[in-house]
């Protein structure tokens, strides 16, 4: 959805993207360039530009007034399933089934950074408004907070070990981190995560010993987090923080 709520872009297994006018309910343009299924598409915060990721392993940058690709970002070795813009619109963040996260410079199409979350596919990611912090969540329930200025992992913790993180995002004011799995939502204070810096995650500990350290650390974080709720009858697809720091929950479930 575009920032003005008047247009949106859709992606399809037919390898095309389509721009739609919501008020007129018409297709304004068809965009071709990918050669396989397109998994994700995202408008930039200012509109006009949008980016897409595909199982052809490429990330493509488009503009609303041109039917062809204006930038092709190559580097991933497997399907690209997540794409997002940094708020200043100078960078694009992507995640792939090759288990890497990449930061791309928009105007040069150059990959600036390659990040390794852990040995699982990243299922959710978000960058704060200033671009100083990135957070990633994976299929095994691990969340990692990154300092983008220092290029280091600040902290790592489990929401629910072994359960996929469906959504992860910063609150609008940047003070909180909202993490959700299928039936659980937690909110963490960013300052607390930063202060409990994680040499535990980067330590030399291996195997079971490392897992025990992470479990103890995670227990401490959960006890001091703002636990919102566990609702067994609802499966949360995603969460979103509004400008007023309200949390919107999206679920396909309903009560009879």
């Amino acid at each position: 959805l575009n920032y003005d709520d008047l247009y949106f872009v859709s992606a399809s297994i037919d390898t095309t993207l389509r721009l739609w006018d919501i008020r007129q309910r018409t297709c304004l343009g068809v965009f071709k360039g990918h050669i396989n299924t397109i998994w994700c598409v995202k408008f930039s915060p200012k509109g006009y530009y949008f980016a897409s990721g595909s199982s052809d392993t490429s990330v493509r940058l488009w503009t609303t007034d041109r039917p062809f690709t204006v930038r092709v970002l190559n580097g991933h070795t497997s399907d690209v399933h997540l794409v997002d813009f940094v708020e200043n619109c100078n960078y694009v963040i992507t995640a792939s089934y090759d288990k890497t996260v990449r930061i791309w410079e928009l105007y040069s199409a150059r990959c600036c950074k390659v990040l390794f979350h852990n040995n699982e596919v990243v299922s959710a990611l978000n960058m704060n408004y200033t671009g100083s912090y990135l957070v990633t969540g994976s299929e095994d329930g691990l969340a990692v907070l990154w300092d983008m200025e220092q290029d280091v992992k600040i902290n790592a913790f489990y929401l629910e070990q072994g359960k996929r993180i469906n959504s992860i995002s910063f609150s609008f004011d940047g003070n909180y981190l909202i993490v959700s799995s299928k039936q659980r939502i937690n909110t963490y204070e960013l300052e607390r995560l930063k202060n409990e810096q994680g040499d535990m995650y980067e330590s030399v500990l291996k195997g079971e010993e490392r897992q025990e350290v992470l479990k103890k650390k995670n227990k401490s974080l959960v006890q001091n987090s703002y636990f919102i709720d566990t609702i067994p009858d609802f499966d949360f697809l995603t969460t979103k923080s509004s400008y007023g720091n309200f949390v919107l929950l999206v679920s396909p479930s309903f009560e009879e």
Side-chain angles (χ1 to χ4, degrees):
L1 194 66
N2 198 17
Y3 74 95
D4 58 9
D5 294 341
L6 300 179
Y7 307 95
F8 73 92
V9 178
S10 61
S12 172
I13 61 172
D14 68 7
T15 75
T16 68
L17 297 153
R18 291 175 183 262
L19 175 66
W20 304 85
D21 185 311
I22 294 174
R23 292 170 299 178
Q24 298 181 17
R25 302 184 182 184
T26 56
C27 177
L28 302 179
V30 180
F31 303 82
K32 298 180 180 180
H34 285 294
I35 59 174
N36 215 325
T37 299
I38 304 170
W39 294 123
C40 54
V41 61
K42 187 70 176 287
F43 259 116
S44 75
K46 298 177 182 178
Y48 186 56
Y49 287 104
F50 57 96
S52 58
S54 167
S55 58
D56 63 16
T57 75
S58 74
V59 180
R60 291 176 179 262
L61 184 68
W62 315 78
T63 60
T64 54
D65 59 353
R66 303 176 189 177
F68 51 84
T69 307
V70 296
R71 291 281 190 279
V72 181
L73 312 178
N74 290 313
H76 283 295
T77 58
S78 188
D79 299 37
V80 179
H81 65 287
L82 290 175
V83 61
D84 202 1
F85 283 86
V86 178
E87 195 68 30
N88 60 17
C89 297
N90 291 331
Y91 299 92
V92 172
I93 311 166
T94 59
S96 165
Y97 284 106
D98 63 14
K99 299 180 181 179
T100 66
V101 173
R102 290 176 179 259
I103 313 293
W104 308 84
E105 190 176 58
L106 216 58
Y107 298 104
S108 67
R110 180 176 64 91
C111 180
C112 307
K113 300 174 184 178
V114 181
L115 308 177
F116 297 90
H117 172 92
N118 65 347
N119 199 35
E120 292 287 337
V121 173
V122 170
S123 56
L125 55 81
N126 188 237
M127 184 171 280
N128 72 337
Y129 186 83
T130 62
S132 53
Y133 297 104
L134 172 70
V135 62
T136 54
S138 57
E139 298 279 353
D140 65 346
L142 185 71
V144 176
L145 179 66
W146 306 75
D147 185 325
M148 299 309 295
E149 296 175 354
Q150 303 294 326
D151 290 341
V152 294
K153 295 173 182 175
I154 300 176
N155 212 323
F157 58 94
Y158 286 104
L159 176 65
E160 291 184 280
Q161 191 165 359
K163 294 188 178 181
R164 182 183 191 271
I165 291 179
N166 287 340
S167 177
I168 194 164
S169 62
F170 291 95
S171 61
F172 182 74
D173 61 12
N175 293 328
Y176 301 96
L177 187 63
I178 304 154
V179 189
S180 70
S181 60
K182 190 175 181 180
Q183 293 174 343
R184 185 183 180 92
I185 304 151
N186 271 29
T187 303
Y188 302 90
E189 289 186 24
L190 185 62
E191 283 301 316
R192 179 171 175 79
L193 293 177
K194 287 159 58 179
N195 292 335
E196 290 195 0
Q197 295 210 6
D199 61 338
M200 293 181 180
Y201 186 78
E202 297 292 352
S203 70
V204 294
L205 299 176
K206 302 295 181 183
E208 292 182 4
E209 189 178 7
R210 177 174 172 275
Q211 289 298 321
E212 285 303 312
V213 170
L214 268 176
K215 284 180 182 178
K216 290 179 181 178
K217 178 184 178 184
N218 187 63
K219 185 177 180 181
S220 170
L221 280 171
V222 169
Q223 287 173 345
N224 291 281
S225 71
Y226 292 94
F227 170 62
I228 295 179
D229 213 344
T230 297
I231 307 177
D233 295 330
F234 285 79
D235 297 336
F236 297 116
L237 298 177
T238 188
T239 60
K240 180 71 175 177
S241 177
S242 74
Y243 294 107
N245 278 346
F246 291 97
V247 179
L248 174 68
L249 314 176
V250 182
S251 170
S253 305
F254 62 92
E255 295 182 354
E256 294 284 344

